[in-house]
Amino acid sequence: MLEAFDFVIFGGAGDLALRKLIPGMYRAYCNDELPEGTRIFGTSRREEDITQYHQKVRAAAEEHLREGEFVAEKWDQFAKCVHPLFLDIANHDENWEKMAETLKAGNKQRVFYLSTPPSVFGVCCKHIAESDLISPTTRVVVEKPLGYDAQSAEAINSEIAEYFEESAIYRIDHYLGKETVQNLLALRFANGIFEHLWDAKTIDHVQISISETVGLEGRAGFYDGAGALRDMVQNHLLQLLCLVAMESPNKLTADSIRSEKIKVLESLRPLKGDAVKWHTVRGQYVAGEMNGESVPGYLDELGKESTTETFVAIRAHIDNWRWSRVPFYLRTGKRMEKRCAEIVIQYKDVSHEVYPSSAGPLSPNRLVIRLQPEESIQMVLMSKNLEKHDTELLPVALNLNLAETYKHFVSDAYKRLMLDAAAGDPSLFIHRAEVDAAWAWIDPIIEAWQRPENRPLAYAAGSNGPEASEELLSGDGCHWFNIDDLLPEGKG
Ligand code: BG6
C-alpha cells in the first residue's frame, strides 16, 4: 500500500504543474488515492507566485479539470497539503536549507519532479544532493524533452546519473500513462487469439497517428527549437510503436518490458540521406479555417521565419522476423482537422474473393485502438447487410467502448504516473537505453532534413496535413484510415 510521501515539484508555478500535475494530485485526493499526510510542494523563484500560490493553483484547477470535478469544499481540504516554496533552483542558498529542514522533519518517501527546462536538471539534482535529500528510496521524475539529439540527451542523462542511480530516475512519457495504452498490453498479452494474428503473415500494415487541433499554445520558445519530430515522434509515437511491435515480455516487470521495447527500437530500419525524402513528409501549417473560424499560420503565430515542422508522416520498417516488410506509418501534426490519437492494425485482404462484385467492395479487417478523444477498441469486420435480400457486404465494428463502460472514470495519465513514481513502480517510465535508441533512429532524419529539398510543405490549418502525406500511403496502395468515414451511420 502506498504510504504518505513528499512530492516536490520544481517549476511548481509553471504551465505543466498548473495544468496537469496539481489537478492530477487533486484527482488522486478525490479518489482516496492520496495517503493521508502526503505533502505536495511547488517551487517558484518569483515572489508573487508564492504569495498568490494557492489562488493560482486553484484558478488553474478550475479551468483545467473537467466539468463537475472541481468541488470547492474538496479543493479546500486538498489545498491544505499543497505548499509553495520560494526557491531559486540555481542558487543553493538558505531557501534550499529551509526546504531540506522541512523535508527531513517529515521523514517521508521523497519524489522530486523536475518540471523545468532540461538545462537546469543537472544543477537541480546537484543541489538536491548537496542538501542531503537523497536516500536510497528517493526518486527523481524528469520530463521530456530529454535533449535535442543523441548527444545532448546523453549529456543530460549523465548529469542526472551523477546524483541518482538509474533505478531512481523516472523518465516520463505521459502517453504510457494513458489507460488505453496499457490496455494495448492487456489486449495482446492477456488474450490468446491475437498472438496468432500479430505478424507479417496476417498484418498488412500499421498506422499510428496523433493529430492535434491546438497550435503553439504559448510555447513558441520551446516548440520552434524542437518541432514535431522531437516533440512527438521521438517519444510518444515511438513508444506506441514499441508496444504494438514488441515480443511478449517474460514477466510484466519494468526490466522485461523495457528490454523488449529496446529490441524494437534497435530493429528500426535506419532512415538516412536520400531515403529520408522518400519515407518522410514534413509539414508546417499556414492560415486556414477550423470550426468555421479563421486560424493564423505557424509563422504568423511565431512572428518570425522558421523551417520548424509542425507535421510529420513517416514510413518505418522494423527489420526482424515478425515484422519483415510490414510498414508502420507514423503521423502527427498540430492544427489538424480533428483531435484524435489512434492505432490501426490493418489485416491483409482475404486470400481469395468468393463474393461477386455485386456484393460490393471488401474492406480489409482492421483493429482500431483509439486513445483519444474517447477510449475504445474496435474490430472492423465485413458482414451481410441484413436489410437486403441480395447479398450486400458492409463493414461493421465490434465495439469495445471503454468510455461507455467506465462512464464515471476520468482517465488521467499524469496522476497515474505520479502515483507510480511515489510507489516505486518504474514499469511505465523510460529507461536511459530507450532514450538513446530512439535518438539513434531520429538523429539521421534530422540531419537529412537540413537539406533544402526537405523543407516543410505547407498545409492549411484545419486540414489533414500536406497532400504528400496521403501520397506516402497511396503509393503503397493504402490510405490514412478514419473509422468514421468507413462505417455507415449506426453500424459502429
Ligand atoms: C506533449 C507535447 O508531450 O504532448 C505537446 O509536448 C503535445 O506538444 C502533447 O500537445 C499532447 O499530449 P496529449 O495527451 O494532449 O495528446
Side-chain angles (χ1 to χ4, degrees), residues 201-478:
K201 287 199 281 300
T202 48
I203 292 175
D204 183 76
H205 71 264
V206 176
Q207 300 181 10
I208 305 177
S209 172
I210 306 178
S211 48
E212 300 186 87
T213 48
V214 292
L216 273 176
E217 291 188 294
R219 298 159 77 219
F222 155 72
Y223 193 85
D224 196 53
L229 186 72
R230 292 183 177 99
D231 185 41
M232 297 293 286
V233 181
Q234 188 273 343
N235 34 73
H236 307 323
L237 278 121
L238 287 186
Q239 283 295 322
L240 295 180
L241 174 140
C242 284
L243 296 181
V244 172
M246 73 187 206
E247 297 299 316
S248 161
N250 300 347
K251 293 188 219 116
L252 224 49
T253 58
D255 283 346
S256 305
I257 298 173
R258 286 162 166 185
S259 74
E260 294 307 334
K261 286 199 285 175
I262 290 166
K263 284 185 211 159
V264 174
L265 292 168
E266 289 176 348
S267 311
L268 277 169
R269 187 180 302 167
L271 287 177
K272 292 187 171 151
D274 292 341
V276 171
K277 183 165 173 50
W278 303 116
H279 295 284
T280 72
V281 175
R282 290 179 89 192
Q284 189 186 73
Y285 62 84
V286 294
E289 211 174 88
M290 300 182 75
N291 297 327
E293 291 195 6
S294 306
V295 174
Y298 179 73
L299 298 183
D300 306 317
E301 270 189 69
L302 193 66
K304 60 173 186 177
E305 276 305 305
S306 166
T307 55
T308 297
E309 79 286 349
T310 60
F311 175 96
V312 186
I314 302 183
R315 182 196 295 112
H317 279 96
I318 299 170
D319 285 331
N320 65 17
W321 192 292
R322 187 186 284 270
W323 296 114
S324 172
R325 287 193 277 276
V326 176
F328 280 69
Y329 299 105
L330 312 178
R331 172 177 70 165
T332 185
K334 299 250 183 232
R335 287 283 191 233
M336 304 267 284
E337 187 191 3
K338 285 189 201 146
R339 175 173 182 254
C340 182
E342 200 163 77
I343 300 170
V344 178
I345 314 285
Q346 179 161 328
Y347 287 91
K348 289 195 191 292
D349 290 332
V350 292
S351 48
H352 171 64
E353 286 195 19
V354 294
Y355 281 93
S357 55
S358 57
L362 291 186
S363 286
N365 298 135
R366 293 177 174 99
L367 179 66
V368 183
I369 301 159
R370 187 169 278 191
L371 316 180
Q372 56 200 32
E374 73 284 344
E375 308 188 309
S376 66
I377 301 176
Q378 291 178 288
M379 184 83 206
V380 182
L381 304 170
M382 292 306 291
S383 136
K384 181 184 173 295
N385 184 346
L386 301 187
E387 290 157 2
K388 295 275 168 74
H389 176 87
D390 291 333
T391 301
E392 185 193 35
L393 298 171
L394 290 176
V396 290
L398 284 178
N399 191 352
L400 178 59
N401 188 333
L402 296 162
E404 191 56 35
T405 311
Y406 296 95
K407 271 200 191 86
H408 302 292
F409 177 74
V410 180
S411 170
D412 180 337
Y414 275 99
K415 179 199 82 173
R416 200 222 143 89
L417 294 171
M418 288 187 291
L419 294 180
D420 280 358
D425 179 356
S427 322
L428 299 175
F429 293 82
I430 316 282
H431 192 273
R432 181 172 182 171
E434 288 176 74
V435 178
D436 293 346
W439 279 120
W441 189 68
I442 294 286
D443 272 358
I445 302 178
I446 297 176
E447 198 186 312
W449 277 358
Q450 307 311 315
R451 297 181 182 180
E453 75 259 29
N454 290 334
R455 286 171 75 89
L457 305 168
Y459 66 97
S463 71
N464 281 318
E467 199 49 38
S469 144
E470 299 299 333
E471 290 160 9
L472 184 75
L473 273 71
S474 60
D476 297 347
C478 32

